[in-house]
Amino acid sequence: MLPQERRKWILEQLSKDEKIDIDQLAEQLHVSAMTIRRDLSTLEEEEKIIRTFGGAILNKPLIMETPFLTKEGKYSSQKRQIARKAVTLVSDHSTILLDSGTTNLEIARLLKDKKHLTVITNDIKIAAELMDSEVKVIVTGGELQNGVGALFGPLTEQILKNIHVDLFFLGAHAVHLDAGITVTTFEKASIKKMMIEAAGTTWLVADSSKFDQKSFTKVCDLASLDGLITDDGLTAEDKEKLKEHLKVVTAEVGEAT
């Protein structure tokens, strides 16, 4: 098979499977792993694929911001199960920081009956959810992102510079083994970085749809985090690769509610 034919075949496989493995391709095409790596390098130079650890994925468009009403119903079962795992990490008399987003909103719903707990958030929907609870709530303030509910800007940053919390649940637009955690704007990246710095422990809460994706600007590497809580949509291979960087907890979507 000519190189051009191999590369065309590789792209066809990617369109079906979304991800390919170098060793498997080498075996299927009866060529060396080095030959496949050269093919992938060529396809990456042509911006048709993105190289990953041990393989490649299609070069998809960058993940952009999604309005709250659009994303609220997506992967709701997965987010609820992730939230149930997350709240087991919350101790009485602790101070926790909840990032903006629908997964953290699910966490907030499960914290409403907690006592002796302080929650700091930059999300007005999370604050509203906790309004009638016994949880002490501190809202960072700042400029409101219309349609999303997140607060950002200098006022938000001023609060974050002057706090320390026990635990931070980080949300993400996109998660990638090589690119790390990425988001849509420099302003959002800055807020999330400051939240990580303010926390004794940081756990990423992200459903499996966020993985193998990239957004505009970087927040941090995976190794900068203490752990990840995700759903059972990731492959065993993906989980093993993630475990090289941080602790991974899987929420089984089929678990009893």
Side-chain angles (χ1 to χ4, degrees):
M1 185 181 291
L2 296 173
Q4 294 90 337
E5 294 174 332
R6 273 199 317 272
R7 292 164 198 159
K8 181 180 178 182
W9 188 87
I10 288 170
L11 289 174
E12 288 173 351
Q13 291 302 115
L14 274 172
S15 67
K16 299 175 186 175
D17 301 331
E18 296 187 354
K19 182 185 293 187
I20 53 172
D21 178 83
I22 288 173
D23 292 333
Q24 289 178 355
L25 284 178
E27 184 178 347
Q28 289 173 317
L29 295 172
H30 306 291
V31 296
S32 68
M34 183 59 69
T35 296
I36 297 299
R37 288 190 181 93
R38 284 196 293 266
D39 287 335
L40 295 183
S41 294
T42 299
L43 291 171
E44 187 172 44
E45 289 172 4
E46 295 172 353
E47 299 185 348
K48 294 178 180 177
I49 68 164
I50 296 171
R51 295 286 298 274
T52 63
F53 183 77
I57 61 173
L58 281 176
N59 189 4
K60 302 175 184 177
L62 293 177
I63 300 300
M64 304 306 290
E65 188 78 82
T66 305
F68 176 84
L69 291 176
T70 301
K71 65 184 179 181
E72 184 180 20
K74 290 186 175 181
Y75 306 100
S76 55
S77 296
Q78 290 89 337
K79 292 171 183 176
R80 284 193 293 270
Q81 290 305 129
I82 290 169
R84 288 188 178 93
K85 290 289 186 181
V87 296
T88 64
L89 300 174
V90 177
S91 303
D92 289 339
H93 302 282
S94 62
T95 300
I96 68 169
L97 185 55
L98 290 183
D99 198 2
S100 61
T102 49
T103 302
N104 273 311
L105 178 59
E106 292 294 342
I107 293 174
R109 286 170 176 155
L110 296 178
L111 294 177
K112 292 174 72 172
D113 295 330
K114 291 271 188 179
K115 298 179 181 179
H116 313 299
L117 184 70
T118 299
V119 170
I120 303 171
T121 186
N122 68 323
D123 189 308
I124 62 168
K125 291 186 178 294
I126 289 174
E129 186 68 33
L130 294 171
M131 182 174 61
D132 296 322
S133 71
E134 296 192 43
V135 175
K136 179 179 179 180
V137 181
I138 299 172
V139 183
T140 61
E143 182 179 346
L144 175 66
Q145 185 178 9
N146 293 337
V148 175
L151 299 167
F152 66 97
L155 289 174
T156 311
E157 293 180 2
Q158 188 60 39
I159 289 286
L160 295 173
K161 285 178 184 176
N162 292 287
I163 64 169
H164 177 78
V165 301
D166 299 301
L167 176 62
F168 170 41
F169 289 121
L170 168 69
H173 293 83
V175 184
H176 191 276
L177 276 170
D178 299 320
I181 310 301
T182 53
V183 293
T184 54
T185 66
F186 287 118
E187 292 85 356
K188 281 185 174 288
S190 176
I191 294 296
K192 291 177 188 287
K193 287 175 183 177
M194 294 180 73
M195 287 176 162
I196 293 170
E197 291 172 3
T201 303
T202 297
W203 279 77
L204 172 65
V205 287
D207 66 76
S208 56
S209 72
K210 304 289 181 65
F211 288 81
D212 277 336
Q213 307 281 0
K214 294 179 182 179
S215 196
F216 176 62
T217 186
K218 186 171 183 174
V219 176
C220 66
D221 292 318
L222 291 172
S224 301
L225 308 175
D226 294 284
L228 158 70
I229 306 174
T230 189
D231 60 69
D232 53 6
L234 295 179
T235 65
E237 181 184 6
D238 286 337
K239 290 176 188 175
E240 288 306 310
K241 289 176 182 176
L242 286 165
K243 287 177 182 177
E244 295 175 9
H245 302 277
L246 75 175
K247 184 176 180 180
V248 177
V249 173
T250 303
E252 302 292 337
V253 177
E255 288 178 0
T257 58

